[in-house]
Amino acid sequence: MEGYLTDSDKGAFVIEDSGSNKPIALKMYSIVNRDSVYPWKTIYNELDRNLFQIDGNFIEIFQLWVNPSYRRLGLATKLKLKLEEEAQNHKVNLIYTHTEETNNHVIELNKKIGYQEVRRGPIWDEVIRVSLIKQLS
């Protein structure tokens, strides 16, 4: 975990309940490169290279969590919009995320705020996942 916290290409945003100061929502991300070779299974090379900026960098959301008691209050949207600001700070114009095909509410949330579906299928196991991207201007 220490390496994650000190790596300039990784980050997290946490929203706390103002009364209890306990985390109620969290998003973790990393800046990755579409053209890199990774020691784990990815599908980046299956995505159209023209979707990515010239250097291949993009932001991947790899964890988004909202406490069940606080869902449907706009916290996930708030975190995703905050990440768009962070992308601009890093000069990255594409955000990638994926979710299980059964998470219809998550897919719809992403589409509502401008993400488009670019792939459907398994990634590292047999679970069907929906890959979505948002291109920033």
Side-chain angles (χ1 to χ4, degrees):
M1 187 67 159
E2 179 180 340
Y4 178 86
L5 295 174
T6 60
D7 188 329
S8 63
D9 288 340
K10 295 181 174 78
F13 298 110
V14 178
I15 298 175
E16 293 181 342
D17 178 275
S18 59
S20 67
N21 291 331
K22 291 185 179 180
I24 57 173
L26 163 76
K27 180 176 54 326
M28 298 172 72
Y29 68 91
S30 60
I31 299 171
V32 293
N33 190 286
R34 187 256 187 222
D35 303 320
S36 293
V37 176
Y38 294 93
W40 55 85
K41 172 83 171 113
T42 74
I43 52 86
Y44 307 145
N45 63 349
E46 295 178 27
L47 304 179
D48 183 352
R49 180 62 177 88
N50 293 319
L51 295 171
F52 298 85
Q53 60 193 43
I54 292 171
D55 67 5
N57 286 344
F58 66 100
I59 287 184
E60 176 185 24
I61 299 171
F62 62 85
Q63 178 68 41
L64 177 62
W65 167 82
V66 177
N67 180 307
S69 300
Y70 293 86
R71 291 183 180 160
R72 309 284 191 277
L73 299 176
L75 297 176
T77 299
K78 182 176 181 177
L79 288 169
K80 285 185 173 262
L81 295 176
K82 178 69 176 163
L83 186 58
E84 291 180 26
E85 293 175 26
E86 191 68 12
Q88 292 175 348
N89 292 338
H90 287 280
K91 297 181 180 12
V92 173
N93 69 1
L94 186 135
I95 300 174
Y96 166 89
T97 190
H98 62 256
T99 189
E100 291 184 12
E101 181 180 49
T102 56
N103 289 337
N104 290 321
H105 62 283
V106 174
I107 295 167
E108 290 308 312
L109 164 69
N110 281 293
K111 289 181 176 181
K112 179 180 163 186
I113 60 174
Y115 284 75
Q116 62 180 350
E117 183 177 328
V118 292
R119 183 184 180 278
R120 208 175 264 256
I123 297 176
W124 55 83
D125 58 16
E126 68 282 347
V127 175
I128 303 298
R129 290 183 172 78
V130 176
S131 296
L132 303 116
I133 62 166
K134 182 170 185 179
Q135 292 183 304
L136 309 171
S137 49

